Amino acid sequence: MAPRPIAVVLGTRPELIKLAGLVRHLGPRALLVHTGQHYSPEMAGDFQDELQLPEPAVQLAVGGTGRAVQIGSALIALDGVLADHQPAAVVVQGDTNAALSGALAANAREVPLVHVEAGLRSDDRRMPEEHNRVVVDHLADLACAATAQNRTRLLEEGIPDARIAVTGNPVVGAVQRLLPDPEARIELLRRHGVARESFVLSTIHRPENTDDPDQLAAVLHDLAALELPVVFPIHPRTQARAEAFGLERELDKLRVIGPLGYRDFLGLAAEAALLVSDSGGVQEEVSVLKRPLLVVRRSTERPEAIGTFAQLLQPGPALLAAAVRVLDDPAAEHARLESIPSPFGDETADAQIVAGIDALLAG
Ligand code: UD1
Ligand code: UDP
C-alpha cells in the first residue's frame, strides 16, 4: 500500500519559494495544495515552473477576497481535501492566510500539523500576519523554528520543547541553489539597464505602507529622492493602491517593472548597492547575499538581521540619512557584511524538517 501523503498547503509567492526544496525532499510523498491566495501568473504559476514544483494536486481559487473570506473558503475546501486524501501530516509555512487555513483544517481533522518558520513575533497586533503566526504555532505538533531566538519565544509562550525543532530557514538553501552565476548576472544587469552596485532594488507591499495614501506617498517620495536609480518590481497590491490614490506620477520617478521571477530578483539583489523593502523574506535573503537593507516598517518579526544586514526605519529623514550613508561607499559596506554569517541557518533546513516530520510520524 502506498504511504499516506504529506499535504503541503500554500498560497503565496514566498511560500512557493520557501517550500519548493521541502517538496523536492519529500518526493512522491508530497501532496501539493495551492489555495490560490496569489493567482496572477507572475505571483503564482510562473514560480511553480521556475522552482520546478509539480502542478498542485489541488488548486483552489480563494484569491482577491478579504481575509475572512480567504481563510473561511480555503478552510471549507481543505476540509474536503484532507478527507479525500487522508494525509499523514499537513505542512504549512509562515504567517499567511493560506498557512492559517491549512493549520485550522489539519486541526479540525486531527491530522498532525508541521509549521515551518515558527516562533517569529513582531508583537505588532495591527499586522494580520502576527495573529496568523501565533495561532498556527499554538496548533502545530511540530514547530520548525529557524533560529534559537524563535525557539525561546515559543518556550516563553508555553509551547513544550518536545514540539519544537530548530531547523534553520529553507530560504538559505533556496538562495544558494537559485542565485544566478556572475555571468548570468552581467546579462541581467544589461537587460535592466543598470550597472553593478549603482542602483537600488526596492519592494513594498505591506498594508502599513500601501493602504494609507500619505504613507505610500512618503515611501515613494523617499525612493525617488535617492541618488541612484531605483528598480521597483511592483507587487499587485501596491500597484492597485497607488492607482487608487492617484500616485502614478510618484511611480513614474522609479523604474517600475512587474514582479520578477525568483532568480532574476536574487540576481539583481546580489548586484544592488542597497535594498529598501518591507518584505519578510528579503530580510533573510540579504543575510545570505551579504547586501545592506533598509526595512521600511514599524516593527519586524526578524530582529536577527537588524544591526548587521538591516536597519528598521520609517520614511523621512532617518531613511534618507541611512541610505546616504550606504550609498556614499557601497563597496565598503558590502565588504563589511561579507564575513558576517547568516543568522537563519544553512542549506540543511529542508533535510532537518523532513527528519523532524519522520520522527513525528514515527512517534
Ligand atoms: C500576502 C500575505 C503577506 C505576504 C504577501 C507576500 C496575508 C495576510 N498576507 O499579502 O503576509 O507578505 O502575501 O507577497 O496572508 N493581488 C493580485 N494578484 C495576486 C495576488 C494579489 O492582483 O496574485 C492583489 C489583489 O488585489 C489582492 C491584493 O493584491 O486583493 C492583496 O493580496 P493578498 O494575498 O490578500 O495579500 P498580500 O498583500 O499579497
Ligand atoms: N521576490 C521575487 N520577485 C519580486 C519580489 C520578491 O521573487 O519581484 C521574492 C523575494 O526574493 C522573496 C519573496 O519574493 O523571497 C518575498 O515575497 P514578499 O516580499 O511578497 O513576501 P514576504 O516575504 O514579505 O512575506
Side-chain angles (χ1 to χ4, degrees):
M1 203 174 76
R4 288 164 67 199
I6 311 283
V8 178
V9 177
L10 44 70
T12 67
R13 166 169 77 184
E15 293 163 275
L16 289 166
I17 290 169
K18 288 177 172 171
L19 288 173
L22 184 69
V23 169
R24 210 176 11 261
H25 267 77
L26 289 170
R29 284 200 290 168
L31 177 87
L32 193 59
V33 182
H34 195 303
T35 69
Q37 177 171 345
H38 283 177
Y39 51 92
S40 304
E42 66 275 17
M43 300 293 286
D46 293 353
F47 276 91
Q48 279 163 217
D49 295 344
E50 184 179 13
L51 298 166
Q52 296 179 317
L53 279 164
E55 275 298 305
V58 180
Q59 177 69 62
L60 309 177
V62 307
T65 56
R67 181 162 173 248
V69 174
Q70 279 186 30
I71 295 167
S73 48
L75 177 54
I76 292 167
L78 289 170
D79 189 50
V81 172
L82 300 190
D84 289 347
H85 293 272
Q86 298 285 314
V90 169
V91 179
V92 298
Q93 188 276 334
D95 51 24
T96 63
N97 298 334
L100 179 57
S101 310
L104 291 169
N107 183 258
R109 288 260 163 206
E110 298 183 16
V111 179
L113 173 68
V114 179
H115 186 205
V116 176
E117 205 171 270
L120 279 70
R121 295 290 182 271
S122 67
D123 290 311
D124 181 349
R125 288 174 53 80
R126 289 169 291 186
M127 292 180 72
E129 291 87 350
E130 183 71 0
H131 300 279
N132 291 348
R133 59 173 80 98
V134 168
V135 175
V136 178
D137 277 340
H138 284 259
L139 294 176
D141 299 285
L142 174 62
C144 298
T147 70
Q149 202 166 327
N150 299 150
R151 170 177 171 268
T152 301
R153 181 61 190 249
L154 294 168
L155 292 171
E156 284 168 3
E157 292 182 13
I159 294 175
D161 206 10
R163 268 192 238 151
I164 307 169
V166 179
T167 59
N169 193 309
V171 77
V172 175
V175 175
Q176 291 173 354
R177 280 194 305 277
L178 290 155
L179 176 66
D181 63 29
E183 209 170 299
R185 302 210 298 259
I186 291 170
E187 162 57 19
L188 186 63
L189 292 175
R190 198 196 52 72
R191 216 172 344 120
H192 287 277
V194 285
R196 174 152 215 268
E197 294 187 356
S198 301
F199 68 99
V200 174
L201 181 63
S202 177
T203 72
I204 294 293
H205 75 285
R206 297 229 103 81
E208 71 179 77
N209 287 324
T210 60
D211 290 9
D212 174 67
D214 294 336
Q215 179 77 5
L216 184 54
V219 173
L220 297 178
H221 173 271
D222 282 5
L223 289 173
L226 299 182
E227 64 198 77
L228 293 180
V230 176
V231 177
F232 194 68
I234 195 161
H235 190 288
R237 176 185 203 108
T238 313
Q239 177 91 51
R241 295 298 190 275
E243 284 167 13
F245 300 150
L247 293 170
E248 291 95 334
R249 285 179 51 194
E250 301 301 319
L251 284 179
D252 285 346
K253 298 174 192 155
L254 311 176
R255 298 207 185 177
V256 178
I257 53 177
L260 288 164
Y262 192 46
R263 278 198 182 81
D264 284 1
F265 186 83
L266 289 178
L268 285 183
E271 300 294 337
L274 169 71
L275 288 96
V276 180
S277 179
D278 57 11
S279 166
V282 171
Q283 293 175 59
E284 296 152 351
E285 289 160 349
V286 293
S287 75
V288 185
L289 299 169
K290 316 299 180 195
R291 282 293 175 269
L293 167 68
L294 305 183
V295 182
V296 190
R297 284 175 51 175
R298 288 186 297 250
S299 62
T300 180
E301 59 291 320
R302 293 164 168 89
E304 290 91 340
I306 301 294
T308 49
F309 300 97
Q311 297 175 64
L312 187 64
L313 300 152
Q314 279 294 299
L319 190 154
L320 291 172
V324 166
R325 274 197 298 279
V326 173
L327 297 181
D328 189 40
D329 190 353
E333 182 66 3
H334 299 166
R336 180 181 76 78
L337 299 176
E338 206 55 51
S339 59
I340 303 176
S342 170
F344 299 108
D346 59 27
E347 71 290 349
T348 63
D350 293 324
Q352 293 193 54
I353 293 165
V354 173
I357 295 171
D358 287 337
L360 175 72
L361 298 181

